[in-house]
Amino acid sequence: MMSEIEGAANWVAEARSVVVLTGAGMSAESSVPTFRDAQTGLWERFEPEQLATEEAFRANTSLVWSWYVWRSILIDAAEPNAGHEAIGSWQKHLAATGGFLTVATQNVDDLHERGGADGVLHLHGALQNYRCLDCNTPVAYDSRSAAIRPGQEFDDDNLLDPVTCSHCATGVLRPGVVWFGERLPEDVFSSAVHAVQHADLVVVVGTSGLVQPAASLPIIGQEADAKVIEINPVPTGLSNTADVYLQSTAAATLPRVLNRLLA
Ligand code: OAD
């Protein structure tokens, strides 16, 4: 592992144009559970694909709404971890030395921003950008007004009622995330493609690589001759072809890889 860290630190030292691609594992050490690792309480019974669709939301509005509000409260209570902070510092370091770092994340939380990163590309949207399911108008909603607390467990009797849209007064609010079957925000995805095509280094952190088209981004980078570093405690489809695969966690490993550069 030591020599792999050294190898990664060498690519990092040389890189001027960097893309960091992150998934749910990036926020795991901030106590935000991932999608495909074991879930807790009520949510244990559901696959993400069962909850994260418009069809599921229309069919089981209280259940799916409660799931997102629960996740939103968890995110509000979470703090960015040492990995988020290392990425934020790296971006500032590169900007100050004529380089460039883009963060493209599948995460709908704001922990990269709170960890100091700017211009984060949210491939799957942002949870707190609520809008009406029917009239599509953005509507502010503060999940702290919901009658649940961080860590609260749900059962079928204490689900939250959906919130009616204050604009059209008929639809209900939905979270600003990209559900299965929906298109990614086109400008965000094309910016991410452009960034990996022009990167000399792509760092992939905490994603299972099972959801397209986000999973294609490291491959597009490789095809354009970018080096790829992957950080994930569990090997993925990318681990064999990455230039360096670090079998460890985001918060433990990113600061070690960046230590020499940011010292
Ligand atoms: P997954 O839950 O599929 O994968 C999380 C990955 O993080 C796994 O490969 C874990 O091994 C890894 N992991 C766990 N803890 C980690 C840690 N501390 N450090 C680094 N890695 C760790 O999450 P995503 O790949 O992000 O979509 O899932 C992709 C999309 O599927 C999500 O954006 C979401 C979901 O359904 C939507 O909501 C549309």
Side-chain angles (χ1 to χ4, degrees), residues 8-241:
N10 289 338
W11 294 124
V12 160
E14 281 175 24
R16 310 306 308 149
S17 176
V18 176
V19 180
V20 181
L21 300 172
T22 67
M26 182 75 226
S27 299
E29 286 151 291
S30 295
S31 306
V32 181
T34 61
F35 291 93
R36 287 170 189 77
D37 300 324
Q39 304 216 345
T40 51
L42 176 65
W43 320 117
E44 220 170 351
R45 294 192 263 136
F46 300 92
E47 297 292 325
E49 288 81 355
Q50 281 182 286
L51 291 173
T53 68
E54 180 176 337
E55 206 187 356
F57 187 69
R58 289 191 184 273
N60 298 292
T61 310
S62 289
L63 174 72
V64 178
W65 177 247
S66 299
W67 189 73
Y68 281 106
V69 172
W70 173 83
R71 228 180 143 78
S72 169
I73 287 174
L74 201 74
I75 288 165
D76 281 347
E79 295 292 339
N81 63 52
H84 293 107
E85 280 162 5
I87 293 167
S89 304
W90 189 11
Q91 187 186 52
K92 284 188 182 63
H93 173 84
L94 280 174
T97 53
F100 198 75
L101 183 149
T102 303
V103 180
T105 186
Q106 294 168 80
N107 297 345
V108 298
D109 63 48
D110 59 353
L111 293 170
H112 277 301
E113 286 85 349
R114 287 197 268 141
D118 284 328
V120 178
L121 298 173
H122 280 278
L123 300 165
H124 291 166
L127 192 48
Q128 77 277 9
N129 291 348
Y130 297 94
R131 67 177 192 272
C132 177
L133 180 65
D134 291 335
C135 76
N136 231 17
T137 307
V139 176
Y141 170 73
D142 187 345
S143 59
R144 285 171 299 184
S145 66
I148 57 172
R149 294 285 155 267
Q152 175 172 330
E153 302 251 328
F154 280 103
D155 56 44
D156 292 333
D157 300 327
N158 67 354
L159 295 174
L160 300 172
D161 290 329
V163 175
T164 305
C165 169
S166 54
H167 186 74
C168 70
T170 54
V172 294
L173 299 195
R174 58 158 290 173
V177 306
V178 175
W179 279 330
F180 288 96
E182 294 182 332
R183 296 176 72 85
L184 275 62
E186 222 156 276
D187 50 334
V188 174
F189 187 66
S190 58
S191 298
V193 170
H194 184 269
V196 290
Q197 283 173 332
H198 293 86
D200 40 48
L201 177 64
V202 175
V203 184
V204 184
V205 188
T207 173
S208 56
L210 295 175
V211 175
Q212 292 292 358
S216 67
L217 290 168
I219 320 291
I220 296 172
Q222 283 176 320
E223 284 167 1
D225 288 336
K227 297 292 173 203
V228 172
I229 298 172
E230 185 190 35
I231 300 174
N232 195 316
V234 179
T236 72
L238 188 68
S239 309
N240 277 332
T241 59

